[in-house]
Amino acid sequence: MADIVVTAASVLPGAGAVIAQGTAGETITAGQAVALNSATGLYMKADADNATAALRVAAGIALCGASNGQPISVQTAGKVTLNAALTASEPFFLSATAGGICPKADIATGMYTQLIGMADSTTVLNLGFCSSAAAHA
């Protein structure tokens, strides 16, 4: 399998959406998983095998695209429409590709496992972030 393919132009907050505002620390596309870099206060693409621990923990999903230094809206809870090919009722996780979201089958050795959410349908992800402090064996 592979990371889900998100239609950036179709990313929309849904029921129960909690939205944070911040500043991007790099170019981010709508629908990517992002982490808040505690050292800089900037949002960066989250990555399950990043060398920096803080960037292995997604804080939310970008609702809009932004370049370095631009404002960004990040959904941290609730339902989000990704218009991706999700499998309803399946869990989705932070990928080893920066900003990516993957199915459980793609979790590999060395990745720090983080649940991003459960699919409510083929297009809507119900966010529920939960991470592990240990790498997948």
Side-chain angles (χ1 to χ4, degrees):
M1 299 200 77
D3 287 357
I4 62 170
V5 177
V6 176
T7 305
S10 300
V11 175
L12 295 169
V18 176
I19 301 170
Q21 304 298 321
T23 303
E26 64 182 326
T27 299
I28 297 170
T29 302
Q32 289 186 312
V34 295
L36 186 58
N37 185 332
S38 57
T40 64
L42 301 174
Y43 281 101
M44 309 287 287
K45 290 179 245 183
D47 182 344
D49 62 358
N50 195 294
T52 303
L55 298 182
R56 293 191 299 252
V57 181
I61 302 297
L63 292 175
C64 58
S67 294
N68 187 15
Q70 291 184 318
I72 189 166
S73 297
V74 175
Q75 185 169 336
T76 61
K79 297 180 183 190
V80 61
T81 297
L82 299 175
N83 274 4
L86 303 174
T87 303
S89 79
E90 290 294 319
F92 286 85
F93 297 85
L94 181 61
S95 168
T97 301
I101 301 170
C102 69
K104 184 178 180 184
D106 284 6
I107 296 173
T109 301
M111 289 174 60
Y112 287 78
T113 308
Q114 182 180 17
L115 176 69
I116 298 293
M118 300 287 291
D120 272 1
S121 69
T122 58
T123 60
V124 175
L125 190 63
N126 190 2
L127 300 177
F129 299 94
C130 183
S131 61
S132 169
H136 185 70

